[in-house]
């Protein structure tokens, strides 16, 4: 899951109204926040997750979804997505 960088705010126009309203200032280059690193996959983190998945295995609903996907028809794939949506709230 990669995070995308958002484009910065457009330059202010110096006017009190409009989309780019506001006082004109010089923008400073700020250091990257530690919160932007959240979710990044390191080698150690990936290894830990892999070992945990190996030891613990899959949840029952995950096993059922994998089984439905392995069957391979379009209807079973759709059913597996429906199952995921029901269990997780999304897929």
């Amino acid at each position: 899951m990669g995070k995308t960088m958002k484009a910065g705010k457009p330059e202010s126009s110096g006017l009190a109204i409009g989309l780019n309203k506001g006082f004109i200032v010089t923008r400073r280059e700020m250091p990257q926040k530690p919160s932007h690193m959240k979710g990044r996959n390191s080698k150690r983190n990936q290894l830990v997750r892999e070992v945990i998945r190996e030891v613990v295995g899959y949840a029952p609903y995950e096993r059922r979804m994998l089984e439905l996907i392995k069957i391979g028809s379009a209807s079973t794939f759709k059913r597996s997505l429906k199952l995921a949506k029901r269990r997780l709230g999304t897929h």
Side-chain angles (χ1 to χ4, degrees), residues 64-65 67-84 86:
R64 183 164 173 225
M65 282 173 46
E67 188 180 308
L68 287 170
I69 290 169
K70 280 180 190 171
I71 293 171
S73 70
S75 62
T76 56
F77 185 73
K78 188 174 180 182
R79 201 168 346 138
S80 70
L81 289 179
K82 276 185 167 180
L83 176 69
R86 231 183 8 251

Side-chain angles (χ1 to χ4, degrees), residues 30-74:
M30 301 299 284
Q32 193 176 27
K33 291 181 174 182
S35 62
H36 289 296
M37 295 291 285
K38 183 173 168 47
R40 189 157 293 177
N41 215 354
S42 66
K43 287 181 183 177
R44 181 178 184 277
N45 198 1
Q46 193 172 2
L47 178 71
V48 168
R49 284 186 179 156
E50 194 177 307
V51 168
I52 289 172
R53 177 61 85 180
E54 233 177 82
V55 173
V56 176
Y58 291 100
Y61 77 92
E62 289 174 324
R63 279 196 297 264
R64 183 164 173 225
M65 282 173 46
L66 288 171
E67 188 180 308
L68 287 170
I69 290 169
K70 280 180 190 171
I71 293 171
S73 70

